[in-house]
Amino acid sequence: MVLLNDTAIALTVIAYLALSAPDVVRALQQPGKRWKRMRTAQRTKRYGLAYSAALLIPYLIVALPGLTADPLRFVRELLLMTLYLLMPMLLQAVRTGSPRRPDGLDLVTILLIWLPVEFGLLPELPGMAAQLPMLLGAVNPLLIYLVVAPWKTPKSGKGGIGYTFRLTAQDIGVAVVALLAFAVVVIPLGLVTGILKFTPVIPPIGEAALALVTGYLFIALPEELLFRGLIQSGLERLFPKAELATLIASAVIFGLAHLNNTAFGFVAPNGVYAVVATLAGLAYGYVWRRTGKITASAITHALVNFIWLLFLGA
């Protein structure tokens, strides 16, 4: 069972990381020549459905052993994952023309990707595979907004969603400066309100390094893809001359998404936590705006989570 789980995670991570390579994206954007009579856009959309359907393979690797134990549950959860992965791509497949700026179809697509994760509607998987639904939910919008229906890069600004690991020293510097600025404001606020408690726990170096890497790949980066890569980027495309307003709006959305957090015994809706998350969203959004890379804002995000885990947990 452990081997199956590891295999499923590995397959998903390979696809996840591969989509950061421009050559891979270009190859996926140019489907096979045997459909050459059909317009390229139509071919790409049909292949897009196949790409999303292929994401069921890692899920099935983990879930199939449960078929004999509880067939009804297996079928129900398989149907749920199928809808979760195919519905966003189906919505984009009905689009006519080339996407230019976000519209109502994009809004519904993003909600279909986000809300099932936010409200815990996806199947619960054991062990490390518990991260699989969220990871698949990150790969799917990458396929949509990098491959099948990419938002056009605006003439001004960084453009794109910034899914690249080609980070410079300047990118990392911006991420660290934003972390320090956030810490100066939030740590005193958090200690006073009780949302933070200074309870340092120093794990072995190997365990800490693994927590940082997995937190970056499986938590920070998927959240940055959604909130900065899609939501903040989408708002900026709609209102290109209102960068400060779109930064604040996306940070508030990020904060509101954390209202249901019950950290340290706070009951939901947790307004204090939402305020802290909004301030974090400002820091992450600033990094994304300065660098144009969600992989850079994810560094700040992962370090915030890591420091919280080591020094400020309950």
Side-chain angles (χ1 to χ4, degrees):
M1 186 65 180
V2 174
L3 179 60
L4 291 177
N5 290 358
D6 290 347
T7 301
I9 290 289
L11 288 174
T12 309
V13 169
I14 288 170
Y16 185 35
L17 299 181
L19 288 169
S20 68
D23 290 342
V24 172
V25 174
R26 280 193 291 269
L28 292 173
Q29 287 174 334
Q30 299 169 4
K33 295 181 180 179
R34 64 190 183 90
W35 286 6
K36 60 184 178 181
R37 292 184 180 180
M38 191 179 300
R39 289 191 301 109
T40 301
Q42 291 175 324
R43 290 205 309 269
T44 306
K45 288 174 182 177
R46 292 199 179 188
Y47 271 84
L49 290 171
Y51 300 154
S52 289
L55 296 178
L56 284 168
I57 294 173
Y59 171 75
L60 284 171
I61 289 175
V62 173
L64 266 177
L67 176 59
T68 54
D70 192 341
L72 288 179
R73 178 181 175 182
F74 171 83
V75 171
R76 183 174 64 251
E77 293 185 346
L78 175 60
L79 178 60
L80 181 62
M81 281 302 296
T82 302
L83 290 173
Y84 177 61
L85 294 173
L86 291 187
M87 283 303 297
M89 192 68 83
L90 280 168
L91 277 179
Q92 294 296 324
V94 303
R95 184 190 295 282
T96 58
S98 178
R100 29 344 73 234
R101 300 201 314 173
D103 56 18
L105 202 60
D106 289 308
L107 174 61
V108 175
T109 300
I110 291 169
L111 291 176
L112 286 174
I113 292 165
W114 171 24
L115 294 184
V117 176
E118 180 71 21
F119 292 107
L121 302 179
L122 299 181
E124 294 184 5
L125 299 174
M128 189 64 182
Q131 298 293 340
L132 188 61
M134 184 173 180
L135 198 53
L136 293 173
V139 176
N140 208 29
L142 286 170
L143 288 169
I144 293 170
Y145 290 105
L146 290 175
V147 177
V148 178
W151 282 338
K152 289 183 177 179
T153 301
K155 293 181 180 179
S156 61
K158 300 292 183 180
I161 63 174
Y163 186 62
T164 175
F165 292 97
R166 297 178 180 180
L167 298 171
T168 66
Q170 183 178 2
D171 296 330
I172 295 171
V174 171
V176 172
V177 168
L179 169 69
L180 295 176
F182 172 72
V184 166
V185 173
V186 169
I187 289 179
L189 174 65
L191 292 175
V192 168
T193 59
I195 196 70
L196 299 179
K197 298 181 186 298
F198 185 65
T199 53
V201 177
I202 308 301
I205 293 178
E207 184 179 324
L210 180 62
L212 182 58
V213 171
T214 56
Y216 177 84
L217 288 177
F218 299 159
I219 298 174
L221 195 49
E223 289 193 3
E224 290 306 295
L225 168 63
L226 173 64
F227 289 100
R228 259 54 67 181
L230 297 184
I231 294 175
Q232 186 174 343
S233 174
L235 289 173
E236 287 196 3
R237 282 171 163 81
L238 286 173
F239 308 102
K241 296 182 180 180
E243 288 185 5
L244 178 59
T246 55
L247 168 61
I248 294 172
S250 60
V252 170
I253 292 170
F254 183 70
L256 292 175
H258 290 76
L259 271 173
N260 60 349
N261 192 292
T262 55
F264 308 123
F266 282 69
V267 296
N270 190 343
V272 177
Y273 195 96
V275 170
V276 171
T278 298
L279 294 172
L282 289 173
Y284 308 154
Y286 168 79
V287 176
W288 179 82
R289 184 61 270 170
R290 279 291 306 275
T291 65
K293 300 171 182 176
I294 59 170
T295 45
S297 60
I299 291 175
T300 308
H301 193 149
L303 288 174
V304 167
N305 291 350
F306 186 64
I307 291 170
W308 188 310
L309 176 68
L310 291 189
F311 300 107
L312 300 166

